Amino acid sequence: MTDEVVRALWESGLMTWSNPAEAGGVEPTFAELIETWIELAWQDGSLGWIGIANLPSAAAAAAYLPDEGFAEVFTGHGNHTTVGGQFFPNGMGETVEGGYRITGAWNFGSGTGHSEYVAAGFIPTVDGEMALGEDGMPPLLVAIIPREEIVFADGWHVQGLKGTGSYDYNVSDLFVPASRTFPLFTRDPQRGSAAIYKMGLIPITAAGHAAWALGVAKSMIDDVTEIAATKVRMGDEASLANRASFQRGLSHHLSMWRAARLLVIDAFGTAEAEVAGGAEMSPELRADLRIAATYATEASREIVEWAHLAAGTSAIREGNRIERAFRDMYTGTQHVFIGERTYIDAARIRLGLTEDQFGF
């Protein structure tokens, strides 16, 4: 993102909007998050991706960091703190007095181009061996690291989502105090009373991916509808809008978009209400969220493909919004989080073949 856009995000209040109140946020509902992310992605795919990267990253750090770390990262900067990066545990952290010495390399650190702090998931070790929790699994943690301590490895030269600054980065034997770490899968917020903080990182990540895809798809529907009024394809006597095949395609894909949006709103609203009422995030609830996000993403990709084909040569010139949205969609939907594996894992829960899926 350019400095001008980043400044506008701060001036709009969006950069702190999803934070707990103690970090300057308003603690939005999932419905509010989803509609806001759809709008951002409608404006531009990279802008929307920043919305689903920086906003949840900062919200998670603000909600889950211990008091000392929160004071350092947020209060100490007047809550003017941007967080980006990769939460997947691609690092190892040797346990030492007061914290961890972390070594690792992370890919696709979305939003790190303008972030003061960078998230880095890691697995703690003791004397070089993975530490194990009471359940026999290693306790996966997230470190929040000042930008100046990060080594960035590339310039993010990619097909789409070019403005996200999703750089690869690494650290080597870097000391991070325990106060700037928190458990990856925690649902025990230190701050914030809204249900979203009691649901953990996976639901907010799923909602973000779904909303982003829906926003990009909506921009394609709107743009091809506008083009259709005046575009006359070679050999046609009337505009694209008068083609029966276009009319059928528009109605079908608009309905697909509306159905996918309603599914996402329903799934996340239902889970949010359950948690707000005191229920735990059951494996079934989490599975419903993951498959809703995956379905919305797949539906959006199909919509974008149809709109791109319908627009013809109007969609191929660089700088064209349809061309950019097409590239963004086919880049964003490569993300493993919304891969078809989520359908399989969710079905195994529904079929009683497993009680839960790790990372769900």
Side-chain angles (χ1 to χ4, degrees):
M1 291 288 105
T2 64
D3 291 342
E4 182 181 8
V5 172
V6 175
R7 282 196 302 271
L9 285 168
W10 275 106
E11 290 168 0
S12 71
L14 278 171
M15 284 296 213
T16 57
W17 176 68
S18 60
N19 288 355
E22 295 91 329
V26 302
E27 306 191 6
T29 65
F30 265 113
E32 292 169 328
L33 282 168
I34 290 164
E35 295 297 354
T36 299
W37 283 329
I38 287 174
E39 171 62 24
L40 288 172
W42 180 90
Q43 293 183 24
D44 177 74
S46 287
L47 176 63
W49 198 267
I50 288 302
I52 71 169
N54 287 139
L55 273 61
S57 296
Y64 304 129
L65 279 174
D67 289 343
E68 183 180 348
F70 175 78
E72 176 186 353
V73 175
F74 288 91
T75 309
H77 298 282
N79 291 330
H80 196 285
T81 301
T82 308
V83 183
Q86 174 61 259
F87 287 73
F88 192 82
N90 277 350
M92 305 296 285
E94 179 65 16
T95 305
V96 297
E97 183 176 355
Y100 307 90
R101 301 203 69 88
I102 301 176
T103 297
W106 296 264
N107 300 321
F108 311 119
S110 296
T112 54
H114 53 265
S115 295
E116 294 90 5
Y117 284 88
V118 176
F122 71 98
I123 300 172
T125 61
V126 177
D127 296 329
E129 300 292 331
M130 281 195 301
L132 298 178
E134 294 180 359
D135 59 358
M137 298 292 292
L140 308 182
L141 302 178
V142 177
I144 303 298
I145 303 172
R147 179 185 189 83
E148 58 270 19
E149 297 178 2
I150 295 289
V151 178
F152 291 98
D154 79 355
W156 187 236
H157 305 292
V158 287
Q159 174 189 21
L161 295 178
K162 291 176 177 288
T164 61
S166 300
Y167 303 131
D168 296 348
Y169 57 97
N170 62 81
V171 299
S172 180
D173 196 33
L174 176 69
F175 175 74
V176 177
S179 60
R180 271 199 276 109
T181 68
F182 60 87
L184 174 60
F185 294 129
T186 183
R187 300 189 196 105
D188 183 21
Q190 307 302 300
R191 277 150 237 102
S193 58
I196 59 170
Y197 310 117
K198 300 174 184 177
M199 297 169 71
L201 271 168
I202 297 301
I204 199 169
T205 302
H209 278 281
W212 176 83
L214 289 168
V216 175
K218 185 175 187 295
S219 79
M220 290 286 273
I221 291 173
D222 291 348
D223 288 356
V224 78
T225 301
E226 181 178 350
I227 288 173
T230 57
K231 182 178 180 62
V232 179
R233 302 291 292 268
M234 186 177 295
D236 286 356
E237 296 181 355
S239 68
L240 182 61
N242 289 284
R243 271 191 177 188
S245 60
F246 178 81
Q247 295 164 0
R248 188 266 178 197
L250 178 62
S251 294
H252 173 75
H253 290 95
L254 181 58
S255 296
M256 182 185 294
W257 186 89
R258 288 172 173 167
R261 175 188 166 276
L262 287 173
L263 170 65
V264 170
I265 293 291
D266 177 72
F268 284 89
T270 297
E272 184 177 29
E274 290 282 331
V275 172
E280 293 291 326
M281 278 292 292
S282 68
E284 290 79 13
L285 276 177
R286 285 182 276 118
D288 284 348
L289 302 186
R290 292 298 301 275
I291 59 176
T294 301
Y295 175 79
T297 300
E298 290 184 347
S300 295
R301 185 171 55 210
E302 182 175 330
I303 291 164
V304 163
E305 181 180 10
W306 165 79
H308 187 267
L309 288 171
T313 55
S314 297
I316 67 172
R317 296 187 184 278
E318 290 185 356
N320 183 299
R321 207 168 92 114
I322 289 180
E323 180 267 344
R324 187 173 69 246
F326 180 81
R327 287 187 294 102
D328 288 345
M329 178 62 72
Y330 273 84
T331 300
T333 54
Q334 295 287 3
H335 201 289
V336 68
F337 190 86
I338 35 78
E340 66 175 12
R341 179 72 195 184
T342 57
Y343 287 145
I344 298 168
D345 290 345
R348 289 182 62 82
I349 293 172
R350 286 289 180 190
L351 292 167
L353 300 177
T354 182
E355 292 185 3
D356 203 351
Q357 290 286 357
F358 183 73
F360 244 52

